[in-house]
Amino acid sequence: MISQTTVALLRKVVGLEPAERIPQEALYVADDVLEKYGTDGLRLLVMSMTGWAAVEIERDAMLSGRTHEALLDDIALTCLEANPDG
């Protein structure tokens, strides 16, 4: 069930505009998973999302000829630019 929830969340947020709505949608799903499946459900959701992210970062690195670290540095910089205080 969590895998289906993960895919449903990704379908909802990929291409979502404005991009600031993505975290909001993720929180809605996290709250729903917590209510239905408790903390074990949240743990499964995090594991599922981390797996998807890792595979996509590896794929992006391979296709772009960049290292994983370079891509992760860009993600970290984007986070810092979006929220410099933390």
Side-chain angles (χ1 to χ4, degrees), residues 57 66-80:
I57 288 169
R66 299 172 66 201
T67 66
H68 302 131
E69 280 302 315
L71 291 171
L72 292 168
D73 288 345
D74 283 349
I75 292 170
L77 181 60
T78 299
C79 291
L80 182 60

Side-chain angles (χ1 to χ4, degrees), residues 2-65:
I2 297 298
S3 293
Q4 294 169 344
T5 301
T6 302
V7 173
L9 173 60
L10 292 171
R11 285 185 191 279
K12 187 177 279 189
V13 299
V14 170
L16 185 63
E17 293 294 334
E20 292 80 14
R21 289 184 46 211
I22 294 171
Q24 179 183 10
E25 292 296 330
L27 286 176
Y28 291 151
V29 169
D31 288 344
D32 188 51
V33 167
L34 180 60
E35 183 179 315
K36 289 180 181 174
Y37 306 105
T39 56
D40 286 344
L42 280 180
R43 292 176 71 179
L44 287 172
L45 181 64
V46 168
M47 289 169 50
S48 180
M49 296 302 293
T50 301
W52 281 82
V55 168
E56 288 306 311
I57 288 169
E58 290 170 4
R59 184 172 175 262
D60 192 357
M62 183 179 66
L63 292 173
S64 68

